[in-house]
Amino acid sequence: RLIKVMNKDTYIRHAVLTLIYLCGMETVGTSMVNCSMEQTAVTRADSTEFGKSRCDYAEYYILTLIITLKISVVFIHANFYYMTLLTVVCASTLLAVAFVPYGVIYNRQHHYLTLFSPDEEFTHFLHLSIIAVAMAVISNTLHARMVDVMQRFDFLCLQRILQKRLSSRQLRSDNRRLLHNILPSHVAEFYLTADDTDKDLYHKSHSSVAVMFASVPDFSSYYMESTGNEMGIGCMRLLNAIITDFDQLLRLNRFQRVEKIKTIGSTYMVAAGLDDRTKECPAALLADFAFAMKQALNQINQNSFNNFKLRFGIHQGPAVSGVVGAKKPMFDVWGDTVNIASRMDSTGVEEKIQVTGAVADTLHQEGYTLSERGEVQVKGIGQMNTWFVTAPPHRPVKQSIQ
């Protein structure tokens, strides 16, 4: 598009300058023609002759022609063949237009001569004029050739620059997309906008983060390496389909603030509340996401004729997030909140979303339906009172997915 606009402007500029060029040539020729018509009759005692003409210095018109040729070619950066043809035609035409009136004038001053039988003085001036104009035409042609070559070179350089700029933009877009797939959006923006002098890795403390572990306990018994499933490749394809469907849920607007942390075998770990821009309740976001995951897995079970079931564990509390590793860096979350959420999953029940008492209070205020499970022995903590989330607040599961 830029090149088209530049070409359009170039054509307009060439047309205007060519018009000015022709006007200058026309001025020189018109002056010579008018000069031959402005004679004054002077009567002498012995004879009557034409008086002195105003074109006594006709060489000035030839010099003006050469100067006009030289100046105009500097501004008209057109095609080499076009400039050569324009210069030759204009120079030849104006030489003829200039010498015809000059020959008439010379003949009037020396009435015994004509243009076609000139004397030595007229012939000398004619030859010098032709040589001077020819040299001007040759120099203009060489200049036009040089300008044409430079313009073609500039065009190729511009094309290369534009291609590199487009490829650079495409590469930057691909890198940004890849970085956003590896890291959460707010962490990716941190690395994209950070100064080169800032070598610290991303790390941040959070006062309240909700963490959820969702596992498929039946997958361990389902996995086997045999010739029927290509030595386990068929099982991995199915696991990949399950994880991919869970990842697709994160693209929904409802779950834009839910961040996938990692997968450990058949366990899926997500968190909410890591971004300060999150306005929703983190625990409520993960509860809705858990219901959406159950529905997605049910759809996979129908298509693959399996009966996999999910088990969930959610806890909310303080945590630390950051990026670790210089090669293949990974975003992760640490803290007791993560450990307790993992215990809620490992001590949970299939098809149930087990939460701690603090999360149960929060979800109850949000309108979720819960049922108390009772005390559960949690490794490293002891007895904990846990709850099951049975239904979202006054809306079916389909609406929570949307």
Side-chain angles (χ1 to χ4, degrees), residues 249 252-255 288 291-293 295-296 395-402:
L249 294 175
L252 301 177
N253 293 332
R254 181 72 177 89
F255 304 124
D288 286 345
F291 286 114
M293 291 176 69
Q295 188 177 25
R395 61 176 183 266
V397 177
K398 280 189 177 181
Q399 292 185 7
S400 67
I401 295 177
Q402 295 174 356

Side-chain angles (χ1 to χ4, degrees), residues 381-395:
I381 297 177
Q383 297 291 327
M384 288 189 66
N385 195 28
T386 62
W387 299 70
F388 290 137
V389 183
T390 57
H394 308 295
R395 61 176 183 266

Side-chain angles (χ1 to χ4, degrees), residues 9-235:
D9 294 341
T10 302
Y11 293 148
I12 295 174
R13 184 183 64 186
H14 288 170
V16 173
L17 291 175
T18 303
L19 182 61
I20 297 174
Y21 180 81
L22 295 176
C23 289
M25 297 291 100
E26 188 270 339
T27 302
V28 177
T30 303
S31 299
M32 291 294 292
V33 172
N34 292 337
C35 184
S36 65
M37 300 179 180
E38 296 175 357
Q39 306 299 319
T40 303
V42 178
T43 304
R44 293 186 177 179
D46 53 348
S47 63
T48 300
E49 294 181 352
F50 286 98
K52 193 173 185 179
S53 170
R54 296 183 185 179
C55 291
D56 287 338
Y57 303 100
E59 61 271 13
Y60 291 163
Y61 290 96
I62 303 302
L63 294 175
T64 305
L65 169 63
I66 295 174
I67 293 173
T68 307
L69 286 173
K70 296 300 295 181
I71 293 177
S72 300
V73 76
V74 175
F75 297 99
I76 305 178
H77 294 169
N79 183 270
F80 163 69
Y81 300 103
Y82 169 77
M83 279 302 303
T84 302
L85 179 62
L86 179 65
T87 304
V88 171
V89 170
C90 290
S92 303
T93 304
L94 290 174
L95 272 176
V97 172
F99 272 102
V100 167
Y102 180 70
V104 174
I105 297 167
Y106 200 92
N107 186 32
R108 288 177 180 177
Q109 292 177 343
H110 309 276
H111 52 85
Y112 53 87
L113 295 174
T114 63
L115 179 63
F116 300 100
S117 59
D119 63 353
E120 183 178 353
E121 180 183 354
F122 185 82
T123 303
H124 180 69
F125 173 66
L126 178 61
H127 291 169
L128 288 179
S129 299
I130 293 175
I131 292 173
V133 173
M135 292 180 64
V137 170
I138 293 173
S139 63
N140 284 1
T141 302
L142 294 176
H143 180 270
R145 180 58 181 170
M146 180 187 69
V147 171
D148 189 47
V149 171
M150 292 300 298
Q151 284 184 330
R152 293 175 185 273
F153 179 76
D154 292 342
F155 176 78
L156 294 176
C157 290
L158 179 60
Q159 287 278 55
R160 186 172 300 176
I161 291 173
L162 292 177
Q163 290 177 357
K164 288 185 177 180
R165 184 178 297 177
L166 290 176
S167 61
S168 177
R169 289 179 180 176
Q170 183 64 35
L171 181 61
R172 182 175 178 83
S173 177
D174 293 341
N175 291 340
R176 179 181 291 271
R177 189 181 302 110
L178 180 62
L179 193 60
H180 277 274
N181 285 335
I182 296 175
L183 302 175
S185 299
H186 63 284
V187 181
E189 292 299 327
F190 169 82
Y191 283 103
L192 291 173
T193 58
D195 294 334
D196 295 337
T197 56
D198 190 4
K199 302 300 182 181
D200 291 337
L201 293 176
Y202 175 85
H203 59 277
K204 189 175 182 179
S205 298
H206 307 272
S207 59
S208 181
V209 174
V211 180
M212 181 179 77
F213 285 85
S215 59
V216 185
D218 298 337
F219 188 80
S220 298
S221 58
Y222 171 80
Y223 178 82
M224 63 178 63
E225 296 181 358
S226 62
T227 56
N229 62 7
E230 301 179 63
M231 300 304 294
I233 296 179
C235 298

Side-chain angles (χ1 to χ4, degrees), residues 361-379:
D361 293 338
T362 302
L363 294 179
H364 181 73
Q365 295 176 3
E366 294 291 330
Y368 288 82
T369 304
L370 299 99
S371 62
E372 185 177 4
R373 181 187 183 185
E375 291 188 351
V376 177
Q377 180 67 31
V378 178
K379 181 180 179 181

Side-chain angles (χ1 to χ4, degrees), residues 214-216 239-251 255 260 263 266-268 270 289-290 292-298 300 310 312:
S215 59
V216 185
L239 179 62
N240 178 67
I242 296 173
I243 300 300
T244 301
D245 282 1
F246 293 164
D247 292 341
Q248 293 297 327
L249 294 175
L250 297 174
R251 298 179 179 272
F255 304 124
K260 175 185 176 182
T263 57
S266 60
T267 301
Y268 196 83
V270 293
F289 189 69
M293 291 176 69
K294 289 173 64 175
Q295 188 177 25
L297 185 61
N298 290 334
I300 292 177
L310 281 169
F312 301 93

Side-chain angles (χ1 to χ4, degrees), residues 250-309:
L250 297 174
R251 298 179 179 272
L252 301 177
N253 293 332
R254 181 72 177 89
F255 304 124
Q256 286 293 316
R257 301 303 180 188
V258 177
E259 299 293 346
K260 175 185 176 182
I261 305 302
K262 58 186 174 182
T263 57
I264 308 170
S266 60
T267 301
Y268 196 83
M269 178 184 176
V270 293
L274 298 173
D275 192 353
D276 295 335
R277 296 172 293 181
T278 304
K279 297 180 180 180
E280 299 89 346
C281 174
L285 276 176
L286 294 187
D288 286 345
F289 189 69
F291 286 114
M293 291 176 69
K294 289 173 64 175
Q295 188 177 25
L297 185 61
N298 290 334
Q299 186 66 37
I300 292 177
N301 287 333
Q302 293 178 7
N303 297 332
S304 62
F305 304 101
N306 287 297
N307 191 27
F308 293 119
K309 295 180 181 179

